[in-house]
Amino acid sequence: MSRSRISTTRAQFDRDRTPPARPRIITEGVEVTDDAVWVWTEVPAASSYLLEDDQLSAATWDTATAMAALLPAGAEYHLKVMWTVHGSEDYIRGWDQVHSVRAPGSADYIGLGAGRIDRNAADGHYRRRVVLLGVRWPDPDSDSTVERTWRRARLRGSTRLAHRDAHQRLAAARADIVRWLGQMERSALRATAAPAELIAWAYAREIRRSPLQIPHATTLSGPALVALMNGEMDPVQPGRTHVVVTDRDSGARRCLTILVPAVNGFPVSELEVPGGEWLEILTELPGVEASVRGVNHGHAGSIAVIDSGRKRTRSQTREAAGHGAQVPAEILDADDTLNQRRQEVTRRIDVLTVNHARWVVDAADPDELADRVAAVRQRYTGIVQLEVVPDLQDLLWQELLPGDRVRVHAFGQDQPMRTLAGSWFHGGSAIGDTTGPYIGANLGSTPGPVQAHIVSRADGDRARPTTISFTGMSGSGKSTAVMLATLGALAEGAWALLVDPKGDLAGVIDVARRLLGVDVQSVDALAESASGSMDPMRFGTTVDEAHTLTLDALLGALSSEDRRRGETLLETAVHQVLTSMPQEAWSAQAVISELLSTPESDTDFATARELGATLSLRSRQPQLRAVLGPAGDTTALMTGRGLVYLNLAGLDLPRHTTDPDRWTVSERCSIATFRMALSYALHQSRRVRELKKLVALTELHLITGYPEGRAFVEWQARTGRALQVWLLLDSQSARDLAGMTGLIEQLVMSFAFRATTRDEQDAQAVLLGRAEPGPRLRHMQSQLRTGQCVMRDRHGRLAPIEFDRLTQWIADALSTDAGEDHDPGGA
């Protein structure tokens, strides 16, 4: 008979048939049963998916150290890894925490995101993992085993006495529990007290295995708990390998098989990390959860367990030598492993635990269940050997109940704490914010919706920088992501400027108007209809602003020689217009007219009129008429809430030199218009500090080649937080951004789209907060598809995501692909 069969047979005689534990009180972080107080924490998902090997190993040790210190020695613990669906309720409720002026269509925008979340959840793409870690709180030192047994017997049959006793025991332990919960929250696990409804859900779902509505309450007891537990477990027939759980309210039935590790199913030494994350891989297996009960032996207990094991291996070694036989290799390996572990415990590097791991497979019928069980065992091949044990499924099911106990001890595994920590039960790809716009899907090991509250002014975010980078190859989806992020800011009533040097982002105009109902101003800088719309005298709100901006624009249109001889004359003409005319009459054209009308009695009249004539010609240049041309009925640049789409396509920016003396007239005019666009952004940044403001610069590599462009980006990045301006930078060259002075320190988020060259991958890694990309990150950077990227959130976490364009019409509107060349006369 095999060793596993012997253990299974023995286990059938060690059945714990006591009734399942039932909760008397469930409150925040605590479940009280008739014989125990259990303290429960919720462990949030980590962001381990893109950690490199050395980072993952270090994080594993940090987690193991925290668990060894915080799980009381000798006390039972219970780890539950469960799955539920992502619903849109949390997303909608999150918007209630955003206190800002909303766009008229913000409800429709929020509704689209909620609908996408629900649809993806229904299709099985968005699954929410729930990780609960509970500890059976140590009984008071004054309570002996006899006293505890007597108390349970006295309370049996009296609900009133049982509830009163439960409250008394909870009150006695409350202070110590609160202290311990604080330590857990500050630990590497970042675990927080589990809400009462979550603990109740974890218990009720094992009994009912159907969607449950848990009442929101700080404490659940009495009738509320009885109603939740309205289910039953049927162990089916002797020899069967599953149980059936029925929800009595709905009649829904689910089939469950609980798998256990075979004797020596775990590797003798330990699982390798990375590669041995034996609970994180549950993400890949639909309908599979986990339950691990165990005990932390602590320092002294670990040494005792190890020495007992060493005594057995040495006895076996002596017995083999006495018979002249060769000592089996597995005994020698076991002895070496025990010696190594004793050294680790002695040096307080790790402690030993005994773990009772269970894999819970759920399905609608026995056939589907059998297929899933086979898939689980196949996936764990080479990691942990799993077995289905007949006749024990009912007891193994009872072990799943929060507050219960180990019913079958035969499959316990003595392991270092790092084996449990290295399972990465909380591992994943946590990313994004808990409030703000839904932007897409998490592609890592914790699939779900991703939110990015870019223009957040929450208390914890006010001190953070406000610059966000979007980098990657052409066609990888950067610009579409920028437009989607801009729409999210507009939904919160922001003013947004989208600077488009190529002119292919105009689709955002229709979406902003139709979906959000915001004011939109579209300015095509080279169109005749834009004449005078960027006139600095029209958007400058004070004399000083209008004076400075107008003088810069006029000088920028002139050659170096004309600037030298005419600077004072231009300044005088600007001053004359500002002081002698009403503000509604201010314009660059008025300054030109002032120059052209200089009286002959003026000693500089010839130069003034010559400059006026030159500027009059320049104002009709397509590259400059938006700044200096006659306004007519053109609306000035908008300064209130809404979107300003600035199309700079066609500007003849200098490509070959930065020396102004070598620029052509069209290049000089183009630079002057380009500078005015940046000046407008700076003006808005300073103007209304309370207004949320967003400046999106796309194709940044076309802008940062000029001193003005780099200076603007660097200044805006440094001052954005104080001025409440968020700066979105979209560039094909991550190297340019990574090389800009002080920019890295000002990044609050970064989105790295596909990059295939090592130089660009290295630069993206810097923008993502890594000194250099390791093999895992570099592979991800090269494999991303259009619309996918590696996101770094405001907490420094990294994960792969895919932007969601919400609807087909939005996707079509925001597409930056050129249209097809169809024959107009064709079908």
Side-chain angles (χ1 to χ4, degrees):
M1 183 179 291
S2 68
R3 292 178 62 187
S4 61
R5 180 66 57 83
I6 292 171
S7 297
T8 302
T9 302
R10 184 185 305 119
Q12 295 176 4
F13 296 97
D14 297 333
R15 299 165 65 95
D16 184 341
R17 295 181 177 275
T18 56
R22 295 183 67 89
R24 292 292 184 179
I25 301 172
I26 294 179
T27 188
E28 183 179 13
V30 181
E31 172 197 18
V32 185
T33 66
D34 284 339
D35 64 348
V37 174
W38 280 82
V39 184
W40 288 99
T41 62
E42 182 178 9
V43 184
S47 187
S48 58
Y49 186 71
L50 287 179
L51 292 180
E52 302 298 340
D53 291 0
D54 56 338
Q55 297 170 317
L56 191 63
S57 179
T60 300
W61 278 107
D62 288 343
T63 302
T65 301
M67 293 176 69
L70 291 172
L71 297 179
E76 299 173 51
Y77 56 77
H78 188 188
L79 174 69
K80 289 184 67 65
V81 180
M82 301 164 288
W83 294 95
T84 184
V85 297
H86 271 287
S88 60
E89 297 82 6
D90 289 341
Y91 174 65
I92 295 172
R93 280 197 297 267
W95 278 93
D96 294 336
Q97 303 174 34
V98 179
H99 305 293
S100 65
V101 177
R102 299 280 181 85
S106 61
D108 293 335
Y109 173 78
I110 296 169
L112 282 180
R116 292 294 291 172
I117 292 172
D118 286 338
R119 179 170 179 176
N120 279 293
D123 290 344
H125 302 309
Y126 289 171
R127 294 193 295 150
R128 179 188 169 208
R129 185 181 60 193
V130 178
V131 178
L132 292 181
L133 177 59
V135 170
R136 177 172 175 149
W137 203 248
D139 292 314
D141 294 338
S142 59
D143 283 6
S144 66
T145 303
V146 173
E147 288 173 326
R148 291 194 296 272
T149 303
W150 176 84
R151 186 182 71 239
R152 286 195 296 270
R154 181 173 59 87
L155 299 176
R156 191 174 298 124
S158 174
T159 302
R160 182 180 61 83
L161 289 176
H163 278 289
R164 187 173 68 180
D165 175 74
H167 280 285
Q168 290 173 345
R169 286 182 286 130
L170 174 59
R174 173 69 74 181
D176 290 336
I177 289 172
V178 169
R179 235 181 338 265
W180 183 80
L181 288 171
Q183 293 172 337
M184 287 293 287
E185 188 168 3
R186 294 188 295 271
S187 74
L189 288 172
R190 298 182 295 112
T192 56
E197 60 264 28
L198 187 61
I199 303 171
W201 170 82
Y203 192 103
R205 73 187 301 275
E206 300 298 355
I207 295 179
R208 299 173 64 173
R209 283 279 158 178
S210 61
L212 299 171
Q213 291 294 326
I214 305 297
H216 290 285
T218 56
T219 300
L220 294 168
S221 62
L225 286 177
V226 171
L228 285 174
M229 308 311 172
N230 195 22
E232 63 181 1
M233 181 273 296
D234 179 2
V236 198
Q237 300 172 6
R240 296 293 292 271
T241 56
H242 70 274
V243 298
V244 177
V245 174
T246 304
D247 184 336
R248 289 175 180 164
D249 286 349
S250 66
R253 293 160 58 90
R254 302 292 295 182
C255 299
L256 271 71
T257 290
I258 296 92
L259 298 169
V260 300
V263 176
N264 295 330
F266 279 84
V268 175
S269 55
E270 62 183 278
L271 290 166
E272 295 292 331
V273 174
E277 298 88 335
W278 50 279
L279 287 181
E280 184 178 6
I281 61 177
L282 292 178
T283 305
E284 308 168 20
L285 302 166
V288 183
E289 301 179 344
S291 169
V292 182
R293 290 184 177 273
V295 174
N296 172 16
H297 289 302
H299 181 259
S302 296
I303 290 179
V305 171
I306 292 170
D307 285 348
S308 175
R310 292 170 70 206
K311 184 177 179 180
R312 287 195 299 272
T313 59
R314 290 177 180 179
S315 174
Q316 291 171 327
T317 300
R318 287 194 299 270
E319 183 178 351
H323 290 83
Q326 185 175 359
V327 180
E330 58 266 24
I331 294 178
L332 296 176
D333 290 341
D335 191 59
D336 289 342
T337 299
L338 289 171
N339 287 332
Q340 179 182 346
R341 288 181 181 169
R342 196 181 198 285
Q343 292 176 15
E344 290 172 352
V345 173
T346 303
R347 295 164 58 192
R348 298 189 181 273
I349 295 175
D350 205 349
V351 295
L352 209 63
T353 66
V354 57
N355 288 319
H356 302 269
R358 313 291 188 240
W359 283 258
V360 186
V361 186
D362 174 297
D365 56 65
D367 290 338
E368 182 186 27
L369 182 64
D371 291 341
R372 287 187 171 180
V373 168
V376 173
R377 298 183 70 179
Q378 176 64 33
R379 179 62 182 87
Y380 275 86
T381 299
I383 302 175
V384 181
Q385 182 182 345
L386 300 181
E387 288 190 348
V388 180
V389 186
D391 298 320
L392 295 178
Q393 292 294 309
D394 55 337
L395 297 182
L396 295 174
W397 174 84
Q398 290 182 36
E399 291 182 354
L400 307 181
L401 299 172
D404 207 271
R405 63 185 66 83
V406 176
R407 301 277 177 165
V408 182
H409 292 266
F411 306 103
Q413 309 275 331
D414 287 321
Q415 299 168 329
M417 182 66 78
R418 64 178 176 274
T419 299
L420 181 58
S423 71
W424 278 94
F425 53 87
H426 64 308
S429 50
I431 197 73
D433 299 316
T434 56
T435 61
Y438 159 74
I439 64 169
N442 189 324
L443 301 178
S445 54
T446 41
V450 179
Q451 294 172 251
H453 197 181
I454 288 177
V455 295
S456 172
R457 291 293 286 175
D459 291 342
D461 298 330
R462 288 178 181 270
R464 299 183 189 274
T466 54
T467 301
I468 301 97
S469 68
F470 298 76
T471 59
M473 299 170 60
S474 176
S476 59
K478 304 183 305 300
S479 298
T480 301
V482 169
M483 288 188 282
L484 290 168
T486 301
L487 291 170
L490 290 171
E492 294 187 47
W495 166 86
L497 170 65
L498 178 57
V499 180
D500 183 6
K502 290 173 61 178
D504 57 356
L505 308 183
V508 72
I509 297 171
D510 186 42
V511 180
R513 284 177 175 153
R514 287 177 55 189
L515 176 61
L516 297 173
V518 299
D519 292 334
V520 178
Q521 182 178 20
S522 176
V523 179
D524 183 347
L526 271 70
E528 289 188 31
S529 59
S531 181
S533 61
M534 297 174 65
D535 188 333
M537 279 202 169
R538 301 183 69 197
F539 68 76
T541 52
T542 67
V543 170
D544 289 341
E545 288 175 348
H547 182 281
T548 301
L549 294 174
T550 305
L551 183 59
D552 285 346
L554 295 170
L555 289 171
L558 299 173
S559 66
S560 298
E561 177 61 28
D562 285 343
R563 287 199 298 273
R564 280 192 295 270
R565 66 194 183 97
E567 182 175 336
T568 302
L569 295 174
L570 291 178
E571 191 167 3
T572 300
V574 170
H575 177 75
Q576 185 65 23
V577 168
L578 292 174
T579 56
S580 63
M581 293 184 178
Q583 185 169 357
E584 58 269 19
W586 292 355
S587 70
Q589 283 289 302
V591 176
I592 294 174
S593 296
E594 182 71 23
L595 290 169
L596 291 173
S597 62
T598 303
E600 294 184 7
S601 59
D602 193 312
T603 55
D604 295 317
F605 89 95
T607 303
R609 290 187 177 183
E610 183 181 343
L611 291 174
T614 300
L615 289 170
S616 181
L617 287 173
R618 296 286 187 271
S619 70
R620 293 194 288 271
Q621 283 277 343
Q623 294 85 359
L624 193 57
R625 63 180 160 216
V627 177
L628 299 184
D633 296 331
T634 306
T635 303
L637 287 173
M638 187 168 66
T639 55
R641 302 180 192 279
L643 171 66
V644 178
Y645 170 72
L646 189 54
N647 182 357
L648 300 182
L651 284 188
D652 188 16
L653 297 174
R655 298 288 189 271
H656 308 295
T657 178
T658 57
D659 182 3
D661 290 336
R662 300 173 61 187
W663 291 346
T664 66
V665 171
S666 64
E667 288 175 337
R668 194 180 305 125
C669 292
S670 296
I671 281 290
T673 297
F674 167 66
R675 287 172 177 162
M676 195 50 54
L678 300 183
S679 297
Y680 166 61
L682 290 174
H683 167 77
Q684 275 291 91
S685 299
R686 299 187 182 102
R687 183 172 172 270
V688 186
R689 294 173 68 93
E690 295 78 14
L691 178 67
K692 290 183 176 182
K693 300 171 286 290
L694 181 143
V695 176
L697 302 177
T698 62
E699 304 296 335
L700 196 68
H701 55 282
L702 301 178
I703 295 174
T704 53
Y706 307 100
E708 294 88 351
R710 292 180 67 88
F712 169 79
V713 170
E714 292 169 358
W715 181 89
Q716 191 75 76
R718 288 194 302 271
T719 61
R721 181 191 61 79
L723 298 176
Q724 200 172 186
V725 179
W726 284 265
L727 184 62
L728 274 54
L729 305 177
D730 160 18
S731 179
Q732 293 181 23
S733 176
R735 291 181 62 191
D736 285 354
L737 288 185
M740 294 182 68
T741 305
L743 181 65
I744 303 302
E745 290 77 10
Q746 303 305 325
L747 287 177
V748 66
M749 294 185 197
S750 186
F751 298 88
F753 291 77
R754 184 173 60 251
T756 57
T757 66
R758 293 186 69 86
D759 285 350
E760 279 298 292
Q761 290 174 352
D762 291 347
Q764 279 189 343
V766 173
L767 298 174
L768 291 170
R770 296 271 183 93
E772 59 183 20
R776 189 171 299 183
L777 177 57
R778 200 182 293 279
H779 176 76
M780 179 63 67
Q781 289 169 297
S782 65
Q783 297 299 310
L784 295 166
R785 298 195 299 270
T786 299
Q788 298 177 352
C789 65
V790 175
M791 175 184 177
R792 169 196 167 195
D793 67 10
R794 67 180 76 249
H795 306 290
R797 301 176 297 188
L798 270 59
I801 72 166
E802 181 169 6
F803 275 84
D804 190 334
R805 295 173 294 178
L806 301 178
T807 68
Q808 189 59 51
W809 81 264
I810 292 178
D812 293 340
L814 300 186
S815 174
T816 60
D817 295 335
E820 297 296 332
D821 183 15
H822 293 296
D823 180 0

